[in-house]
Amino acid sequence: MQIRDLPYSDPGDPDVRSGPRFLLWLGLGQLTGQLKSLSWGLMHQCAIAGLPLGVGLAVQAVVERSGRDLAFAGVLIVALGVLIAVGDTMLHRTAVTNWITAAARVQQLLARKTAELGSALTRRVAAGEVVAVSTGDVEKIGWFVEALSRFAAAALALVLICVGLVLYLPSLGVLVAVAVPALALAVLPLLPRATRRADIQREKAGHATELASDTVAGLRVLRGIGGEELFLGRYRRASQEVRKAAVRSARMWALISAIQVLLPGVLLIALVWYGATLVQDGRIEVGQLVTVYSAATLMLFPLRHFEEIAMAYSFSRPSAQRAVRVLSLKRSDQASTLEAQGPGGDLYDPVTGLLAPRGLFTAVVCGDPDEAGRLADRRGGHAEPDEDASGPVPSVLLGGVALDELPLGSARTAVLVQDKDPVLLSGTLRELLDVPSSGAVAADDALAAAQCADVLDALAQASVDADGDPMNTRITERGRSLSGGQRQRLALARSLVTDPEALVLDEPTSAVDSHTEARVAAGVKRLREGRTTVAFSSSPLLLDLADRVVLLDGDTVVAAGTHRELLRDEPRYRAVVTRETEDEGGAKDGTTAIEDLPPARAVEEIEERA
């Protein structure tokens, strides 16, 4: 695996049973990179271990005044130097690749899980924890995966060096071979305590990050109630706890490092003392003592990897555990069942109480057009989080399941929102209507329901290259060659062709005249029979055709019924639909009340009064 191969086309299915299992899964997933790093690391460590042999041969050659042996020692040292340079370079290259690859894979997994869960993620896991996992934790996880192969290379190199010293000079080699495992394992009793302290530090750091994230998210609310100083004090205390925990953790690691320096120093002193005694007795040569001493000194370098792997594991294990906590989240069983059976059911907004029963045409009346647009977007799962909200805003439910619990593709297939200013892409009309759909609604039927006959005639006359076929006529960018009403009706036809389970329309007839409006409303109701349709509108013609009309006052449902029932019984509804003021609540000058007129006559009366 090379960095240029990132990102993975498929990061795979991680083992999320525990943090260590997740780390193991990451390491095995990069087996080729790990083996490369191990090979280069082994070559690098063994070449370093070979230097004492060359130095010992050179010293012995000088003692014996042998030019040939000195030249051989020089060539050996140069060759080992080349191997060290190449091995170190390639080891660094492969190790960094392993680090970045592991971090990139974790980030891909987190991004995939975030896209899968949507806003439901922050309702199950604190936003600060998600931020901590996707930033600092991925680096620590990558560090452990990268250090693993270097540790394996160092361990193998130590075994080879000990075996080589025993074979080269048993009298001193056995001493080194016995002492090195003891040095490597000397800090083992301290690791659990160091790991616990590191866990506490990470936990407190995560808490501080969550507190900071929540404070920033609710800053406007805090300012409104004068709570900035209160939360600032809490964050200061949390940050001080993190500092204290970091100092306690650093003290333990400093002790481990001190032991890693002290014990090898004791070994070297004992080795020199015993070796000098053997040289005085004539049992070994000076060059042999220099060789063994140099080898033992250089063995301190691979021994450092034991400390590093212990530190990397203690820091990466809680990070991996946090990553597993996020990656193990799944959609609810209801969402999985709904996805398997096909999305469907009533469309319900728990925030406003707005219910659109399945299979019915529901009209929604809202006095504020901007608010109507925001509510329409929300019913499709498009709305942005409310900055003033103190906590997560509940998602709209489809069949009792939150839309953000569904995969993005399923949610978009189930609920389609057409805003009041739809965009038409450039291309032919046929290409415009060639959209993902159920296949149940033909393009001709959708165009007829949207009353696009005049649009088709205009398109047929607009292009001589289309052979009189309006479907082959090109539409300019954003439909600039069409009027606002024509664009609106073509966009409505495109939405009808899609045939979603729930179709949400925001002012679908705002740009057409009243006669066309009546025909469009009738065509939509006929074509959407048995499907859930929600239309945000205050048009009496459309409202009169709806199966159910809901009145919203701000963010709350205040009345529901048929159009005529609400006109008769609900003054607020009547005021919005008929554009009355409070002083115009009743009939004036002997005129008949609008609510007592038939819908068509009511529209004419409204136009006359306007």
Side-chain angles (χ1 to χ4, degrees), residues 534-566:
V534 182
F536 285 80
S537 177
S538 58
S539 166
L541 294 173
L542 189 148
L543 297 173
D544 190 52
L545 290 174
D547 299 316
R548 185 171 182 266
V549 180
V550 178
L551 174 64
L552 284 174
D553 185 6
D555 284 341
T556 307
V557 173
V558 295
T562 65
H563 170 61
R564 299 190 183 190
E565 291 172 350
L566 294 177

Side-chain angles (χ1 to χ4, degrees), residues 557-606:
V557 173
V558 295
T562 65
H563 170 61
R564 299 190 183 190
E565 291 172 350
L566 294 177
L567 273 178
R568 183 184 65 248
D569 303 331
E570 181 55 57
R572 287 172 293 185
Y573 178 82
R574 187 165 56 247
V576 174
V577 173
T578 63
R579 306 297 193 273
E580 286 183 351
T581 65
E582 292 183 358
D583 295 334
E584 296 173 329
K588 296 181 181 180
D589 302 330
T591 58
T592 305
I594 291 178
E595 61 268 24
D596 297 329
L597 297 176
R601 181 71 187 93
V603 174
E604 296 175 359
E605 184 68 20
I606 292 170

Side-chain angles (χ1 to χ4, degrees), residues 84-151:
I84 291 172
V86 174
D88 192 22
T89 301
M90 297 307 298
L91 172 62
H92 179 75
R93 178 184 176 88
T94 54
V96 170
T97 300
N98 289 336
W99 187 332
I100 296 177
T101 300
R105 172 169 280 182
V106 176
Q107 287 178 327
Q108 279 187 265
L109 291 170
L110 291 171
R112 186 175 69 180
K113 182 60 65 175
T114 301
E116 176 185 338
L117 296 177
S119 60
L121 175 63
T122 54
R123 293 205 299 269
R124 301 186 186 183
V125 180
E129 183 169 354
V130 177
V131 173
V133 173
S134 59
T135 53
D137 285 339
V138 295
E139 296 296 328
K140 296 178 180 64
I141 292 172
W143 176 28
F144 174 76
V145 173
E146 174 265 335
L148 193 60
S149 56
R150 291 192 291 108
F151 163 72

Side-chain angles (χ1 to χ4, degrees), residues 244-279:
K244 292 177 182 177
V247 171
R248 292 185 72 247
S249 178
R251 285 174 180 168
M252 184 57 64
W253 288 111
L255 177 60
I256 292 175
S257 298
I259 293 175
Q260 290 286 321
V261 173
L262 175 63
L263 295 184
V266 173
L267 170 63
L268 293 179
I269 293 174
L271 185 63
V272 171
W273 176 80
Y274 183 59
T277 302
L278 295 179
V279 171

Side-chain angles (χ1 to χ4, degrees), residues 239-473:
S239 63
Q240 288 302 312
E241 290 179 2
V242 173
R243 182 186 63 81
K244 292 177 182 177
V247 171
R248 292 185 72 247
S249 178
R251 285 174 180 168
M252 184 57 64
W253 288 111
L255 177 60
I256 292 175
S257 298
I259 293 175
Q260 290 286 321
V261 173
L262 175 63
L263 295 184
V266 173
L267 170 63
L268 293 179
I269 293 174
L271 185 63
V272 171
W273 176 80
Y274 183 59
T277 302
L278 295 179
V279 171
Q280 284 182 343
D281 295 342
R283 296 168 59 184
I284 63 173
E285 298 176 349
V286 175
Q288 291 177 319
L289 175 59
V290 172
T291 299
V292 175
Y293 174 79
S294 301
T297 303
L298 293 176
M299 286 173 68
L300 301 181
F301 177 70
L303 275 174
R304 281 290 181 181
H305 289 282
F306 284 78
E307 177 189 351
E308 182 186 6
I309 195 64
M311 183 179 293
Y313 179 73
S314 66
F315 277 82
S316 65
R317 189 180 62 82
S319 296
Q321 196 61 46
R322 279 198 294 269
V324 163
R325 190 157 53 243
V326 175
L327 296 176
S328 61
L329 295 176
K330 296 181 179 179
R331 299 189 308 276
S332 64
D333 294 337
Q334 281 184 310
S336 301
T337 303
L338 186 62
E339 180 185 1
Q341 295 177 351
D346 297 341
L347 193 62
Y348 176 68
D349 185 355
V351 174
T352 61
L354 179 56
L355 172 67
R358 183 176 188 177
L360 296 184
F361 184 5
T362 301
V364 181
V365 177
C366 182
D368 185 356
D370 293 333
E371 182 71 10
R374 187 182 67 80
L375 292 174
D377 286 341
R378 172 172 166 72
R379 295 188 74 79
H382 301 282
E384 295 293 331
D386 189 354
E387 295 181 356
D388 296 328
S390 58
V393 179
S395 172
V396 170
L397 306 179
L398 178 63
V401 179
L403 280 181
D404 54 18
E405 293 278 1
L406 291 171
L408 186 60
S410 299
R412 294 293 175 261
T413 301
V415 183
L416 174 66
V417 177
Q418 177 181 303
D419 61 26
K420 66 180 65 177
D421 188 21
V423 175
L424 301 182
L425 301 179
S426 61
T428 65
L429 180 58
R430 193 183 308 279
E431 293 171 342
L432 176 69
L433 300 178
D434 185 16
V435 292
S437 65
S438 66
V441 178
D444 292 341
D445 296 335
L447 290 169
Q451 300 300 310
C452 294
D454 63 316
V455 184
L456 296 179
D457 292 340
L459 291 175
Q461 298 174 6
S463 177
V464 296
D465 299 330
D467 299 327
D469 186 356
M471 300 298 291
N472 294 329
T473 303

